[in-house]
Amino acid sequence: MFNSSAALELYTFPAGEPTNQPRIKMKTLRAGILLIAAVGVLNTHRAEAAFGLTTTTDYYTVDTGAGLVFSVRRTDPSNNTQAAGDISSLKFNGVEYQNQSKGSQIGIGLGAASVSATTYGSSYIKITVNDGNGLTHYYMARNGYPYVYMATYFTSEPSLGNVRYITRIPYSLLPHGPAPSDLNGNTGAIESSDVFGMSDGTTRSKHYSNHRQMDWTYTGATGSGVGVWMVKGNTEGMSGGPFYRSLINQGDGTGGDQEIYELINYGEAQTEANRTGILNIYTLVFTTGGNPPSVDTSWESNLGLTGYVSSSGRGTVAGVGIAGRDTSYQYVVGFANSQAQYWTTARSSDGYFSCGGMLPGTYTMTIYKGELAVWTGSATVTAGNTAIFHTITITGDPSSTATIWRVGNWDGTPLEFKNGNLVTYMHPSDSRVSAWTGNYIVGYPSNDFPCYEWKDINQGIIIYFKLTAAQLATSHTLKIGLTGNYIGGRIQPSVNSWTASIPSAPSEPGTRSLTVGTYRENNVTYTFTVPSSAFQTDPNQWNILKLNVISGSSGSGYLSPGVSYDCVELDN
């Protein structure tokens, strides 16, 4: 008998993430259990219609034989509300879920595109959309599955500005989606045209649906007798690494849609170049309201997809262990080159790791403590083989340095600081956020110290500390770690009457970050030598460290120059 409690586990959200989002991830199942679950889904619909493709002048219509019938436009309509290559109809169990005034599409639509279809007996159907500029998008169907399998390949970055697939379903039919990105009942935009306020002082935005790439398997929404889910496939063609936060949903109950995204690349707070020349695979899944099962896409190897590389053409990297870990943190091993990206988590007991399904090539291999890089090397992958690393010893963890005091810890995140558990899914002006003002006394909990500082909001955060007589007699090293910044923001510290020289501007993506749910950019540490003459002469007196945001750029409020803190410490 199928035991649902053995097959599913509630998703464990990172600290501070909203827990009211309808997402569950699959456990590894014993052989046969997943098949039983899938058959249960299929049997609900299989008798309704026959699998097949219907062709008209303007549409290809696919009946999946499992209750889902979808149509793809072959031609551009005169009213320009949809485009060739868009999904124009999504009928599930007889109900039309596609917004008829818009298409579900790559970005805002590809414009002029050629569309063709191929059938593979009674097993598979493939619809190919080619924009003529190096982008190919596939819609695929597998007999007996209420899914729209998709894949996107492009040889250069399209003029769309980013590559994301947007499914557009009327909100009234699919009202129950992620709460942080549900705009229903908002009182108007409070920042740009994409961050909105609510009557109770809380905030909503499509940006606040974000999750780290490594943390989500699927996202979606539900309605009466229906669940629609975007199931993530390979992430090798995306950019930003395991911790990149990408928006994945927007729900607009004021006459708009429930939009469910697959983000292949996105320009906001992006720390590396977009990847091209690689096939990106993902799946739109319909259910009768439950969460989707795991999705098998291995059969797509039969369809001649551009850029498809089978498992036999891939390799593995494994490590027997990682020494020198701080066991209170998760360790992630990432791999990246210009072609692809991968990651895996290290085993908590000994640091063993294995990452399979990798394209051949040489990768920068990075071990992260939390989200902070603490070891970097390289790994070479060859098809059909496993590259094995003997025990790796961490040598680059700044937490190993002896200190006089430390505020927070070096982990590449501001999560331990005040409001650090909130800022990824709400605006910093949100009524749930504690006041950004307030100074800090060394020895108190780190969550007294604000995770963000802006020039126009809470400029001049003060840290109070005392030194012993021996410590007052010598210079010390002050380190300030930032996970990210906005429009050139960085910290120029002062200790009592001494002021440090102006530090250099950090490298940054140049887009909004702190207000749209991401603290992660290019981690940077500023190091200052504080002379003994800067300190108080009496060990009973407080020393005052003031942290001032400086920048050559200007802005106001929460869009003024700002920083996100990782750690502040004074070293012996």
Side-chain angles (χ1 to χ4, degrees):
M1 178 178 293
F2 176 68
N3 184 343
S4 60
S5 64
L8 298 172
E9 64 176 345
L10 290 177
Y11 187 95
T12 301
F13 286 80
E17 297 282 4
T19 58
N20 56 351
Q21 299 196 29
R23 291 193 289 125
I24 290 176
K25 67 175 182 179
M26 298 297 297
K27 279 185 177 179
T28 301
L29 306 183
R30 293 192 299 270
I33 295 294
L34 184 57
L35 177 61
I36 295 171
V39 171
V41 172
L42 301 185
N43 286 343
T44 304
H45 310 289
R46 183 176 293 277
E48 295 195 6
F51 179 79
L53 174 71
T54 301
T55 304
T56 65
T57 300
D58 294 324
Y59 301 100
Y60 287 119
T61 299
V62 176
D63 192 321
T64 64
L68 176 65
V69 180
F70 66 91
S71 297
V72 177
R73 286 205 66 99
R74 300 183 63 196
T75 58
D76 283 323
S78 59
N79 58 14
N80 292 323
T81 58
Q82 296 177 352
D86 290 1
I87 287 182
S88 59
S89 177
L90 283 166
K91 289 183 179 179
F92 182 59
N93 290 341
V95 177
E96 177 62 77
Y97 287 97
Q98 174 62 48
N99 185 333
Q100 290 300 287
S101 64
K102 303 175 184 177
S104 291
Q105 57 199 185
I106 295 285
I108 57 174
L110 297 176
S114 62
V115 185
S116 59
T118 306
T119 58
Y120 297 80
S122 59
S123 299
Y124 315 125
I125 296 169
K126 177 182 71 177
I127 296 175
T128 304
V129 182
N130 193 313
D131 77 343
N133 294 302
L135 187 148
T136 303
H137 181 73
Y138 298 101
Y139 298 104
M140 293 163 284
R142 185 183 183 190
N143 191 348
Y145 291 82
Y147 307 164
V148 182
Y149 298 89
M150 289 186 272
T152 307
Y153 177 92
F154 48 98
T155 56
S156 61
E157 190 65 16
S159 60
L160 300 170
N162 58 68
V163 183
R164 56 175 165 162
Y165 193 89
I166 306 177
T167 310
R168 307 178 194 275
I169 296 174
Y171 182 92
S172 60
L173 296 175
L174 209 66
H176 308 302
S181 53
D182 188 343
L183 311 183
N184 189 37
N186 76 80
T187 57
I190 63 170
E191 182 179 300
S192 188
S193 59
D194 55 12
V195 180
F196 299 85
M198 309 296 287
S199 60
D200 61 357
T202 60
T203 53
R204 307 282 180 85
S205 174
K206 62 183 179 182
H207 299 289
Y208 304 145
S209 67
N210 77 81
H211 292 281
R212 303 187 307 176
Q213 284 195 49
M214 65 175 286
D215 287 337
W216 70 279
T217 303
Y218 55 83
T219 188
T222 61
S224 178
V226 66
V228 183
W229 313 94
M230 188 67 78
V231 178
K232 183 168 62 175
N234 62 350
T235 53
E236 61 190 5
M238 299 179 183
S239 298
F243 314 119
Y244 181 68
R245 291 182 174 272
S246 182
L247 60 92
I248 51 181
N249 168 266
Q250 177 173 260
D252 185 358
T254 58
D257 294 332
Q258 189 73 257
E259 297 179 349
I260 303 171
Y261 305 148
E262 169 72 356
L263 261 290
I264 297 170
N265 62 48
Y266 195 58
E268 204 149 67
Q270 187 57 258
T271 58
E272 63 178 348
N274 293 324
R275 292 180 169 86
T276 59
I278 194 166
L279 188 68
N280 302 272
I281 294 171
Y282 45 103
T283 308
L284 185 68
V285 173
F286 279 73
T287 71
T288 55
N291 297 284
S294 296
V295 175
D296 172 25
T297 59
S298 61
W299 58 273
E300 294 176 11
S301 62
N302 300 311
L303 306 190
L305 307 180
T306 299
Y308 190 93
V309 180
S310 65
S311 58
S312 63
R314 298 171 178 270
T316 300
V317 176
V320 298
I322 301 173
R325 293 172 296 117
D326 179 341
T327 56
S328 60
Y329 287 90
Q330 180 186 60
Y331 282 74
V332 175
V333 185
F335 305 88
N337 60 21
S338 60
Q339 180 187 22
Q341 63 168 14
Y342 305 93
W343 57 80
T344 187
T345 56
R347 192 161 61 194
S348 59
S349 60
D350 56 7
Y352 167 83
F353 63 89
S354 179
C355 186
M358 299 174 64
L359 293 173
T362 298
Y363 295 83
T364 298
M365 175 176 156
T366 306
I367 299 176
Y368 299 91
K369 167 197 169 186
E371 297 184 15
L372 184 69
V374 293
W375 185 91
T376 302
S378 65
T380 299
V381 177
T382 57
N385 295 312
T386 299
I388 299 176
F389 283 79
H390 297 292
T391 299
I392 296 170
T393 300
I394 298 299
T395 57
D397 185 353
S399 295
S400 63
T401 300
T403 66
I404 298 172
W405 54 258
R406 175 179 289 148
V407 185
N409 200 9
W410 297 97
D411 64 357
T413 83
L415 298 179
E416 68 268 39
F417 297 130
K418 182 196 287 187
N419 298 322
N421 62 331
L422 303 176
V423 290
T424 61
Y425 63 97
M426 62 184 69
H427 192 269
S429 67
D430 194 288
S431 59
R432 294 166 288 182
V433 171
S434 299
W436 290 103
T437 55
N439 299 320
Y440 178 79
I441 300 173
V442 167
Y444 278 68
S446 294
N447 59 10
D448 285 351
F449 184 84
C451 69
Y452 290 172
E453 182 178 0
W454 292 268
K455 190 174 183 180
D456 209 29
I457 296 294
N458 55 342
Q459 172 80 299
I461 294 172
I462 290 174
I463 296 177
Y464 294 96
F465 66 97
K466 291 181 179 180
L467 298 176
T468 67
Q471 291 168 341
L472 290 171
T474 185
S475 63
H476 297 289
T477 299
L478 173 68
K479 293 179 182 177
I480 301 174
L482 306 178
T483 71
N485 58 85
Y486 180 61
I487 54 173
R490 65 267 200 199
I491 298 298
Q492 183 181 27
S494 63
V495 177
N496 301 316
S497 61
W498 172 86
T499 301
S501 59
I502 297 175
S504 59
S507 173
E508 63 180 20
T511 59
R512 283 182 300 163
S513 54
L514 307 183
T515 61
V516 291
T518 184
Y519 53 77
R520 181 172 179 79
E521 296 180 15
N522 295 306
N523 289 300
V524 61
T525 299
Y526 289 103
T527 302
F528 306 90
T529 300
V530 184
S532 59
S533 59
F535 302 119
Q536 300 284 7
T537 58
D538 184 348
N540 294 312
Q541 291 184 318
W542 290 103
N543 290 278
I544 299 175
L545 167 61
K546 181 178 285 188
L547 304 172
N548 290 307
V549 178
I550 64 167
S551 176
S553 301
S554 61
S556 61
Y558 293 103
L559 292 179
S560 64
V563 301
S564 169
Y565 284 104
D566 182 9
C567 191
V568 182
E569 71 178 30
L570 191 68
D571 294 350
N572 281 315

